[in-house]
Amino acid sequence: MRICVLGAGIVGLATAWQLRQQGHDVTVIDRAQPGHGASGGNGAQLSYSYVAPLADPGIWGQLPKLLLAADSPLKLRPRLDPLQWQWGLRFLAACNAGTARATTAQLLILAAESRAAFDTMRAKLRPDCDFSATGKLVLYDNAESLAGARRQLELQRQLGSQQQLLTAQECVAIEPALDGYRRHIAGAVHTPSECAADCLKLCQALAQALAADGAHLLLQHEVQGWVQRAGRAVAVKTQVGEIEADAFVLALGTASHAIGRQLGVYLPVYPLKGYSITVTPDTAPGAAPRVSVTDSARKVVFARLGERLRVAGMAEIVGADTRIPPERIRTLVAATQAVFPQCGQVFDAPEPWTGMRPATPTGLPIVGRVGRAPANVLFNTGHGALGLTLAFGTAGRIAAQLPMA
């Protein structure tokens, strides 16, 4: 089949890779270069076994602090935007134990599929993406948050995840760079099997491999609309003309909502703005982490990418605002210096980045057919902060749902 994939982020490129492996004639369209949207500077963690959804019942008790504190990792700026309000209300409705449990179960199944597909891709392509499999520690700073982590750990254990609860001393034994922070650690969840990778480098490697294998990459091409006949999509409109195909996959991240509306469907996908810095830490043993670390209180993640350290976090519900306020970068710098005080004086010129994570209210991505959209248009969007983790799993599901030509 001739298949057109809209989007050259990690989700779109993973989908294109999977489809090309099955022998389809694939065209990828994006308005920018591969990986230059939400994929470019993301948190770099592959969280296959620890997938606690953002929509959690614990959010209710945290809301006043999260929304009102000046340095809060969560920020809401109300706008005259119906989508923001609809998304926000549906998000709050999803913050209950039943929905969180069901979402966790579905995410773990999808993550397991994604790990297998990612490993298959990596064995065949061997991309240069600073991949590591050193595990992950999720840190908690008080007894209450640790109790919540214990409940999540027990749920995930019932669903097949292998994790354990650690003391501060046990954390330092696994990651010596945490020694200077141990008195702030009430406990942690350790997942030995977790991994990390540079998503931008992976996107670039996938794009190069696709092009070398005969796929068509139409970059700097803005998707402007659809051409439909007899209830099917036959082409997408761009500024350089119409691109025809037998089937289409919409993987445009936060832009998916607007393009989907042109097909008469509502996609509850809204940008959760995040930030990151990338620094080169001190090379002394124990100065910077080798294990991936998540500071649950600050909502900041740390991932080692070769000799670099990626620091990412925060979630702002502010619309598609691409500005990078200096205070947000200072917050990430301060978090790094607090958690890893021996990391070194490397923060004079951190590489700042911001991206718009395409999030659904529950945290589950939208995969496959949707509503009244033509049957030959499939959707692969709404991965939130788990785009890198889930991309190859949702790509496999898309490939399995392709309509007949």
Side-chain angles (χ1 to χ4, degrees), residues 202-279:
L202 177 57
C203 286
Q204 293 168 341
L206 285 169
Q208 292 170 5
L210 284 164
D213 193 40
H216 312 282
L217 272 66
L218 303 180
L219 306 175
Q220 272 75 53
H221 283 57
E222 184 94 30
V223 176
Q224 298 175 336
W226 301 88
V227 179
Q228 300 183 65
R229 297 193 190 102
R232 290 175 61 86
V234 296
V236 288
K237 300 176 183 177
T238 75
Q239 73 273 27
V240 295
E242 297 177 357
I243 311 299
E244 297 183 351
D246 301 315
F248 300 83
V249 181
L250 183 59
L252 286 171
T254 56
S256 299
H257 175 80
I259 302 300
R261 287 298 294 267
Q262 296 180 21
L263 293 173
V265 298
Y266 168 78
L267 300 174
V269 177
Y270 196 78
L272 289 187
K273 185 180 182 181
Y275 301 89
S276 77
I277 57 174
T278 306
V279 299

Side-chain angles (χ1 to χ4, degrees), residues 289-312:
R290 290 289 175 181
V291 173
S292 289
V293 174
T294 296
D295 184 334
S296 64
R298 292 184 174 88
K299 301 290 190 293
V300 173
V301 303
F302 305 88
R304 196 62 179 263
L305 299 173
E307 295 307 311
R308 299 169 297 145
L309 180 66
R310 173 69 48 78
V311 185

Side-chain angles (χ1 to χ4, degrees), residues 327-346:
E327 62 270 17
R328 283 315 215 182
I329 301 306
R330 288 194 292 267
T331 296
L332 293 177
V333 170
T336 310
Q337 293 172 325
V339 180
F340 303 106
Q342 304 302 317
C343 203
Q345 301 300 316
V346 296

Side-chain angles (χ1 to χ4, degrees), residues 30-43:
D30 198 288
R31 62 185 176 187
Q33 293 296 315
H36 277 250
S39 302
N42 68 7

Side-chain angles (χ1 to χ4, degrees), residues 162-233:
Q162 299 298 316
Q163 299 160 327
Q164 55 186 327
L165 212 57
L166 303 184
T167 65
Q169 185 174 348
E170 289 170 329
C171 288
V172 174
I174 290 172
E175 180 46 77
L178 288 168
D179 187 44
Y181 192 65
R182 73 164 72 202
R183 66 186 181 90
H184 300 286
I185 302 174
V189 173
H190 180 223
T191 311
S193 61
E194 301 292 53
C195 310
D198 186 320
C199 192
L200 177 58
K201 293 176 74 171
L202 177 57
C203 286
Q204 293 168 341
L206 285 169
Q208 292 170 5
L210 284 164
D213 193 40
H216 312 282
L217 272 66
L218 303 180
L219 306 175
Q220 272 75 53
H221 283 57
E222 184 94 30
V223 176
Q224 298 175 336
W226 301 88
V227 179
Q228 300 183 65
R229 297 193 190 102
R232 290 175 61 86

